[in-house]
Amino acid sequence: MCGECEKNVLRFETTAVHGDKGFDPLTGSISFPIYQTATFKHGGLNESTGYDYSRLQNPTREEVESTVAKLEGAKWGIGFSTGVAAITAIINLFKAGDHIIVSDDLYGGTFRLFRDIYEPFGIQHTFVDTTDLKDVINNIKENTKAIFIETPSNPMMKVADIKAIVEIAKEKGLKVIVDNTFLTPYFQKPLSLGADIVVHSGTKFLGGHNDTLAGFIATNDEEIDEKLRFYHKSTGATLSPFDSWLLLRGIKTLHIRMEKSQENAIKIAEFLKKHPKIEEVFYVGLPESKGYEISKKQATGFGAMISFKVKNVEDVAKVLKKVKVITFAESLGGVESLITYPQTQTHAEVPDEIKEKLGVTKTLLRLSVGIENVNDLIEDLEYALG
Ligand SMILES: *Cc1c(COP(=O)(O)O)cnc(C)c1O
């Protein structure tokens, strides 16, 4: 609470640092306690503190859920054990015979969920280039119920116009779901652009330290929230108390980390662009990038994810072997810079012809820029490419 603040609403950075409640109401503890318990004592018949069993309610999880909700400008947030568990919950809002339009360039695990888990259950999907509004409109069918977009997309950094897609969706009564993992609410708030549901891999920038897995959903739609909560407690992929605390801890520095890693990313993108062994750089923050203008309109930053193509495929193995400061590992969004080979890692599941069509070629590498000294990162890339 802040009596003096504009509209009595705290600004982003303050909410990130303080969390929702700001302290433990029971003890005053500034670090929100880890309520590491499976269950809660009842005083007597029909008596409850409001907490019964940690799969249903847990104070630490509730604190991180409401913190993420506040940061996204949402009324409700739900914490899952992983990002894919959160996406799974969302797909379960639909039933056999429903059809969902899904961004064609997206996290490989999301691709796998739609194609390998839910298609056999009768939930249909079409992978569409959601940066092409005509393509979106042309793929809406009688039974289409939702549009699922990841923007900027993984790994090609394509930017979908969230507001324009919301307009198309509203006209047809479709829900819009946005995977906001890459930009986080610090840079992009899809609900304020009209989206119905935001989903996160909290493993990435929200957690920020490559030390745990988490997933979040945020929404302002009460009916959706209730359905998701029911699914959450019934199927059980809930965020543990300790992981909730790690997320609260990580979120305290979200704004600082996002600023620093973006600052580093801009410099690295410029460096890569000029490097003779680099064919092409995909970074939303480059003014010549296709998504640059839309990004400026709908987000307050470009993030810290860069993909690039080397000219010679032999350089891929060389770079991955030679990097010393940057680590060759899957995942993204942590304080440590990581380099990934989408072809065999994040996008291993995607069929070769689709990968080729998207541009996920054998020469493509993806870089998650951390908060190290940027000169060390650039020198590392220079050495590895050299
Ligand atoms: C990593 C990732 C996911 C999946 O999250 P997990 O926490 O690994 O389950 C979903 N979407 C995007 C954009 C991701 O990067």
Side-chain angles (χ1 to χ4, degrees):
M1 290 297 283
C2 169
E4 302 298 311
C5 305
E6 193 186 353
K7 292 192 219 143
N8 208 20
V9 174
L10 294 172
R11 290 162 185 81
F12 188 95
E13 295 84 344
T14 313
T15 301
V17 171
H18 288 222
D20 177 36
K21 293 197 177 75
F23 58 91
D24 175 33
L26 188 64
T27 61
S29 171
I30 294 296
S31 169
F32 203 90
I34 304 165
Y35 282 88
Q36 191 64 51
T37 185
T39 190
F40 299 83
K41 180 181 188 293
H42 296 305
L45 189 63
N46 297 328
E47 283 179 40
S48 169
T49 56
Y51 296 95
D52 305 307
Y53 187 64
S54 274
R55 174 154 44 75
L56 315 185
Q57 320 93 353
N58 179 279
T60 320
R61 189 171 69 235
E62 285 173 359
E63 176 66 3
V64 71
E65 288 175 337
S66 45
T67 300
V68 171
K70 267 195 177 168
L71 295 176
E72 283 287 2
K75 284 194 188 132
W76 298 287
I78 312 178
F80 290 83
S81 53
T82 64
V84 290
I87 295 168
T88 300
I90 291 171
I91 306 177
N92 271 277
L93 291 168
F94 303 95
K95 58 183 193 308
D98 288 349
H99 172 255
I100 305 173
I101 288 177
V102 186
S103 290
D104 58 0
D105 183 45
L106 87 168
Y107 177 68
T110 310
F111 181 92
R112 184 169 55 200
L113 274 178
F114 277 104
R115 188 195 58 182
D116 299 336
I117 307 287
Y118 287 99
E119 185 79 43
F121 278 111
I123 295 180
Q124 304 161 20
H125 64 271
T126 309
F127 292 117
V128 169
D129 179 357
T130 48
T131 66
D132 181 345
L133 298 175
K134 276 201 210 78
D135 217 19
V136 173
I137 293 168
N138 290 339
N139 280 287
I140 296 176
K141 306 194 220 174
E142 280 286 287
N143 56 341
T144 304
K145 294 284 155 47
I147 305 175
F148 184 108
I149 53 182
E150 186 177 298
T151 184
S153 67
N154 184 2
M156 300 313 293
M157 312 300 158
K158 296 201 291 193
V159 178
D161 187 332
I162 299 175
K163 234 180 186 164
I165 289 177
V166 165
E167 267 171 40
I168 294 167
K170 290 278 146 0
E171 209 170 285
K172 306 264 182 191
L174 318 180
K175 299 292 182 198
V176 175
I177 303 145
V178 179
D179 185 330
N180 202 27
T181 299
F182 273 23
L183 289 185
T184 81
Y186 181 63
F187 284 141
Q188 177 168 276
K189 295 189 182 65
L191 299 178
S192 74
L193 299 164
D196 299 283
I197 305 173
V198 170
V199 62
H200 277 278
S201 170
T203 311
K204 315 296 168 55
F205 290 99
L206 291 180
H209 292 75
N210 289 322
D211 55 10
T212 193
L213 306 178
F216 290 98
I217 292 174
T219 184
N220 280 317
D221 184 318
E222 190 165 11
E223 197 188 326
I224 287 176
D225 177 67
E226 269 174 20
K227 281 187 184 165
L228 288 172
R229 243 167 242 287
F230 182 75
Y231 178 86
H232 184 242
K233 75 172 182 188
S234 305
T235 59
T238 57
L239 192 61
S240 78
F242 182 62
D243 287 335
S244 298
W245 184 85
L246 281 174
L247 263 290
L248 282 170
R249 164 82 167 228
I251 288 169
K252 284 177 191 287
T253 53
L254 176 63
H255 48 294
I256 307 273
R257 289 186 285 104
M258 292 309 285
E259 287 289 352
K260 177 64 182 173
S261 48
Q262 169 171 264
E263 184 190 311
N264 285 353
I266 291 169
K267 289 182 184 151
I268 290 171
E270 289 293 340
F271 160 80
L272 289 171
K273 222 172 72 180
K274 291 189 208 109
H275 198 284
K277 292 196 173 165
I278 301 296
E279 163 108 41
E280 199 174 355
V281 179
F282 304 89
Y283 177 58
V284 182
L286 291 172
E288 65 269 28
S289 140
K290 246 181 111 185
Y292 182 78
E293 289 305 325
I294 300 169
S295 283
K296 281 189 62 165
K297 210 176 64 181
Q298 70 186 12
T300 54
F302 306 109
M305 296 301 299
I306 301 173
S307 290
F308 60 95
K309 280 182 183 164
V310 290
K311 285 182 184 156
N312 297 315
V313 74
E314 298 80 48
D315 282 338
V316 167
K318 205 179 74 186
V319 168
L320 294 176
K321 190 86 195 158
K322 283 176 78 182
V323 279
K324 284 198 176 111
V325 180
I326 300 167
T327 308
F328 173 29
E330 221 158 312
S331 202
L332 60 106
V335 289
E336 301 90 359
S337 296
L338 302 183
I339 192 162
T340 310
Y341 188 44
Q343 179 73 215
T344 60
Q345 291 185 298
T346 53
H347 289 66
E349 303 293 331
V350 181
D352 284 346
E353 67 274 13
I354 298 182
K355 277 197 278 217
E356 200 60 38
K357 185 181 142 230
L358 295 173
V360 185
T361 59
K362 291 191 168 67
T363 56
L364 186 83
L365 288 160
R366 193 193 71 189
L367 190 61
S368 169
V369 181
I371 64 168
E372 300 95 334
N373 184 300
V374 71
N375 295 325
D376 287 333
L377 299 174
I378 289 174
E379 283 168 21
D380 201 34
L381 285 168
E382 206 156 33
Y383 168 76
L385 282 163

